[in-house]
Amino acid sequence: MADAAASATADTAVELAGVNKWYGKFHVLRDINLTVGRGEKIVICGPSGSGKSTMIRCVNRLEEHQSGRIVVNGIELTSDLKRIDEIRRDVGMVFQSFNLFPHLTILENCVLAPVWVRNMPRKEAEELAMKYLTRVRIPEQAGKYPGQLSGGQQQRVAIARALCMNPKIMLFDEPTSALDPEMVKEVLDTMVSLAAEGMTMLCVTHEMGFARQVADRVVFMDAGEIVEANAPAEFFANPRHERTRAFLGQILH
Amino acid sequence: MDSGASRLETAYLRETPAPTLPPPALSSGALGWTRKNLFSGPISSVFTLLTIAFAAWTLPGLVRYFILDAVWRADDGAACRAPGAGACWAYIGQKFPFFMYGSYPREWVWRVDVTFVVGAALIVWLLAPKLRGKQVAAFLFFVAFPVLGFVLLSGWEAVGLPKVGTDLWGGVLVSLVVSAVGIVVSLPGGVLLAMGRRSRLPMVRMASVVFIEVVRGVPLITVLFMANFMLPLFVPDNWSPDRLVRPLIGVSLFASAYMAEVVRGGLQAMPKGQFEGAMALGLGYGRMMRLVVLPQALTKVIPGIVNTFIGLFKDTTLVAIVGIYDFLRTVDTARLDPLWAGPSISTTGYVFAAMFYFIFCFGMSRYSQYMERELSKDRQR
Ligand SMILES: Nc1ncnc2c1ncn2[C@@H]1O[C@H](COP(=O)(O)OP(=O)(O)O)[C@@H](O)[C@H]1O
Ligand SMILES: [Mg+2]
């Protein structure tokens, strides 16, 4: 049975099937069904409070779902802590508020998880970190502390830090929402280049230009449910659900 | 409002760049400083004058009593009893070994001295930010030093160090042993209790809460009495802990409970994002706490931690209640020596004791302020 499940999900990176979640009595996720293929880029949008963050945080178990199935990289999420750690090793996450560790330098931020979670020798981890810091184009900041960097730089460090774990899937929760306008592009450029390399990505974002450019599918959520999902060209040209149209009308002018 | 708006030009274009200038020089020099800081207004002037008057009123008397009229050299109390004599420092000098070591056999006090010197050296190594090899220092201080200290102080016949029972220990030796053990145990103990109090497991949480609240809810004296009289009831006779170990346990438990609340304050102040960032990287609970959360949380509460240490250091005087000869008690006892009896003896003794406690507590306070500055230097947000 395990074999059958594995083969069925060989090309599936993330599968959410009939997922429900409540905060107390508040039904925050309702019957979520979403299958993300390997290498696929999903952009998730929707009004504030519609459950976008909650949904992607369920994928790496920062939030617990109460019914339904979530399978990540062929491993089903249960309360088994070993499996949760196994999944988190392979799923990188970038937050709206960066969440860098302010008491560690940029390099130490990047080296921490490879050394302590992957048991990588420090030297090797530092080389890896420098490789990714170069990729996000801030190797010269390696010795500074997060507080000394601009928001855009911090967010790029956060991406590099996640990449240092060689994740198979990347989750982005509104990575550019806390940034000053002139810094949004540098972060989006990094994400575009990551997408070009074939990373599986689930991005909560309202950057519709980014969605048009890289998304394979755009998912629209409202009030805890997935209302509509479609390829970006179709999604923007012919939104089918009335709520989608209303939302797009508000954010595209 | 209308007139203000009308003065604004609608269209404006800067034609020459605004020059970059040095900041204006403030009134400088000693006179400028004095005016700015001491006589900046009527209230500040009154306070300055009152302070000067108070100093003029008290200082000469203190200087005369403790320095000019003080007796620095004497073999007994006769000179100190002379009319007009000030503080009797000669008495402190004569009783100094008793204040330091209690009744520890005089031929073996070098063992205490060696322990002091090694301990002080390791503490400096551990605490001075510029010295390298903190891990070695930590190992030596927390593992090797206690063993060495135990062997040296209490003796080990096999290496030619005769046993010295703790009933002979006293003075600074006992005060430092009690506070050092209390400090070294209370920090990790407090961290564990604070984490327990925030645990998801109800039993762990409840045990921590009960422990913290019970220990905090009773006076230290009660804890000391309980440790002294009840601990022996719980263990077989020949296992009964040493009379000095019992208050050590009491003080450690007491300080841990206080420390737990200080540490919990630091944990509470941590942004949720730090936990999530660490978890998302796959650091498990233990590594998340050790590498990400605690270093930040403990740094935030350094003032509270040092405050607890200072409180603990002074509270060690209470072990006298259960018959331990700590420093203050040796001062208190030595006072009764008929050879030295005299009007200035008690004052001198207690002032000396106050100076001892003040120097240690002030040192801890200064070090914590220094550390706060060091730690925030290059991490400014
Ligand atoms: N920890 C929580 N406890 C209770 N309600 C929550 C919690 N987190 C989020 N919510 C609620 O769940 C809903 C969905 O939140 P979220 O997933 O953050 O929305 P989005 O990311 O789409 O803006 C919101 O109404 C929010 O108020
Ligand atoms: Mg959100």
Side-chain angles (χ1 to χ4, degrees):
Chain A
M1 197 202 103
D3 270 346
S7 68
T9 59
D11 292 331
T12 308
V14 181
E15 185 191 354
L16 295 101
V19 171
N20 283 282
K21 174 170 178 63
W22 291 261
Y23 282 125
K25 289 214 163 102
F26 176 54
H27 199 171
V28 60
L29 293 181
R30 309 158 185 249
D31 189 31
I32 300 286
N33 291 287
L34 179 68
T35 305
V36 183
R38 224 164 262 303
E40 204 180 0
K41 286 98 184 117
I42 305 282
V43 163
I44 299 151
C45 59
S48 176
S50 56
K52 310 177 296 290
S53 300
T54 308
M55 182 178 86
I56 69 164
R57 288 157 61 87
C58 280
V59 172
N60 66 350
R61 246 306 149 133
L62 289 184
E63 301 290 349
E64 206 172 311
H65 62 288
Q66 279 129 17
S67 77
R69 251 163 56 91
I70 299 181
V71 182
V72 182
N73 283 325
I75 305 171
E76 177 165 1
L77 272 171
T78 59
S79 49
D80 181 350
L81 289 176
K82 267 225 176 70
R83 286 189 189 183
I84 293 173
D85 279 341
E86 206 176 321
I87 286 172
R88 284 180 181 161
R89 276 200 287 274
D90 286 335
V91 178
M93 183 153 192
V94 176
F95 301 84
Q96 182 175 347
S97 52
F98 325 137
N99 295 350
L100 295 178
F101 306 135
H103 65 303
L104 300 177
T105 62
I106 300 307
L107 186 65
E108 288 162 350
N109 261 279
C110 294
V111 161
L112 191 74
V115 166
W116 290 99
V117 180
R118 294 238 188 264
N119 294 319
M120 194 182 280
R122 177 163 289 271
K123 193 116 195 313
E124 196 181 320
E126 282 180 5
E127 282 164 17
L128 186 72
M130 285 314 292
K131 182 181 114 184
Y132 284 115
L133 285 175
T134 309
R135 254 206 56 185
V136 300
R137 300 194 316 282
I138 34 176
E140 73 282 358
Q141 312 286 0
K144 292 197 184 160
Y145 286 89
Q148 298 167 302
L149 269 55
S150 74
Q153 290 174 322
Q154 290 193 49
Q155 194 60 299
R156 284 185 281 152
V157 171
I159 295 175
R161 178 176 79 176
L163 292 178
C164 283
M165 285 295 281
N166 283 324
K168 299 197 176 82
I169 300 166
M170 284 287 286
L171 309 175
F172 294 85
D173 191 0
E174 304 206 30
T176 57
S177 302
L179 297 179
D180 291 335
E182 76 269 22
M183 296 170 186
V184 169
K185 187 173 177 314
E186 65 190 50
V187 171
L188 288 181
D189 285 348
T190 310
M191 292 168 64
V192 169
S193 80
L194 194 59
E197 284 170 23
M199 176 68 74
T200 309
M201 293 165 65
L202 277 78
C203 313
V204 175
T205 180
H206 290 146
E207 295 293 334
M208 291 305 146
F210 173 80
R212 281 205 175 86
Q213 190 182 348
V214 307
D216 295 309
R217 249 189 306 161
V218 180
V219 171
F220 173 67
M221 285 184 75
D222 189 19
E225 41 186 17
I226 294 182
V227 174
E228 184 168 351
N230 213 333
E234 236 347 74
F235 180 85
F236 291 112
N238 296 311
R240 282 181 294 189
H241 202 286
E242 180 193 330
R243 281 194 267 170
T244 318
R245 280 197 293 273
F247 176 73
L248 287 179
Q250 273 166 358
I251 64 162
L252 308 171
H253 343 272
Chain B
M1 183 187 165
D2 244 347
S3 66
S6 66
R7 255 187 271 126
L8 275 176
E9 300 167 59
T10 337
Y12 170 80
L13 180 68
R14 182 175 277 289
E15 273 140 9
T16 49
T20 307
L21 300 172
L26 296 165
S27 59
S28 52
L31 207 64
W33 185 91
T34 310
R35 277 199 63 168
K36 180 162 168 266
N37 292 288
L38 302 180
F39 296 99
S40 61
I43 296 182
S44 132
S45 305
V46 168
F47 271 112
T48 305
L49 292 175
L50 278 179
T51 311
I52 292 174
F54 182 75
W57 177 52
T58 53
L59 273 183
L62 288 174
V63 169
R64 221 177 305 123
Y65 187 83
F66 286 106
I67 299 174
L68 300 180
D69 293 347
V71 179
W72 297 88
R73 240 180 265 275
D75 291 325
D76 58 33
C80 297
R81 281 190 292 269
C88 189
W89 297 119
Y91 152 81
I92 302 290
Q94 229 242 323
K95 295 290 180 189
F96 195 72
F98 181 58
F99 293 158
M100 285 297 280
Y101 314 108
S103 309
Y104 208 90
R106 289 293 170 266
E107 74 229 83
W108 295 118
V109 292
W110 64 265
R111 286 156 49 174
V112 180
D113 294 336
V114 170
T115 314
F116 281 170
V117 170
V118 173
L122 285 176
I123 287 175
V124 169
W125 186 2
L126 207 55
L127 296 189
K130 299 218 169 56
L131 299 180
R132 311 225 132 251
K134 294 292 180 219
Q135 277 169 3
V136 181
F139 172 80
L140 290 177
F141 183 74
F142 291 107
V143 180
F145 179 62
V147 175
L148 176 81
F150 180 77
V151 168
L152 274 174
L153 293 178
S154 102
W156 188 15
E157 304 284 357
V159 293
L161 297 174
K163 288 247 181 259
V164 178
T166 51
D167 47 340
L168 297 179
W169 301 19
V172 171
L173 166 62
V174 160
S175 288
L176 290 186
V177 166
V178 176
S179 18
V181 170
I183 284 174
V184 167
V185 173
S186 67
L187 192 54
V191 167
L192 287 180
L193 283 169
M195 281 167 38
R197 190 162 189 170
R198 290 166 51 98
S199 166
R200 282 204 209 168
L201 310 173
M203 286 316 290
V204 174
R205 195 169 55 234
M206 213 166 67
S208 311
V209 170
V210 167
F211 178 88
I212 292 170
E213 295 304 340
V214 166
V215 173
R216 269 198 328 162
V218 299
L220 175 57
I221 295 186
T222 318
V223 176
L224 289 175
F225 274 131
M226 276 172 20
N228 204 39
F229 299 116
M230 286 168 63
L231 220 51
L233 302 181
F234 292 119
V235 289
D237 264 352
N238 48 342
W239 274 78
S240 177
D242 180 89
R243 55 189 281 287
L244 180 59
V245 172
R246 285 177 238 160
L248 277 184
I249 295 174
V251 166
S252 301
L253 295 183
F254 192 76
S256 299
Y258 273 88
M259 193 58 79
E261 289 299 281
V262 173
V263 174
R264 194 165 68 96
L267 292 177
Q268 223 89 306
M270 287 291 292
K272 209 163 146 248
Q274 291 293 304
F275 294 86
E276 293 178 349
M279 281 193 282
L281 284 170
L283 297 169
Y285 179 78
R287 281 170 189 156
M288 171 179 81
M289 290 312 272
R290 187 157 59 87
L291 301 169
V292 175
V293 176
L294 284 174
Q296 295 182 64
L298 293 180
T299 310
K300 274 188 224 266
V301 293
I302 287 179
I305 293 177
V306 174
N307 195 32
T308 309
F309 285 167
I310 289 176
L312 163 69
F313 186 71
K314 293 182 298 184
D315 281 351
T316 58
T317 49
L318 290 173
V319 298
I321 293 278
V322 290
I324 307 291
Y325 266 83
D326 80 308
F327 171 64
L328 189 59
R329 179 133 186 235
T330 57
V331 172
D332 207 34
T333 312
R335 210 160 58 88
L336 305 175
D337 183 350
L339 190 61
W340 287 91
S344 61
I345 294 304
S346 296
T347 314
T348 311
Y350 287 129
V351 166
F352 176 66
M355 279 175 2
F356 167 81
Y357 286 104
F358 179 77
I359 286 171
F360 272 84
C361 295
F362 189 63
M364 286 193 251
S365 158
R366 292 310 302 221
Y367 177 75
S368 87
Q369 287 170 24
Y370 165 74
M371 268 328 281
E372 278 173 60
R373 275 199 306 278
E374 275 299 297
L375 289 173
S376 61
K377 220 184 246 167
D378 40 20
R379 290 180 204 164
Q380 248 96 28
R381 293 227 194 199

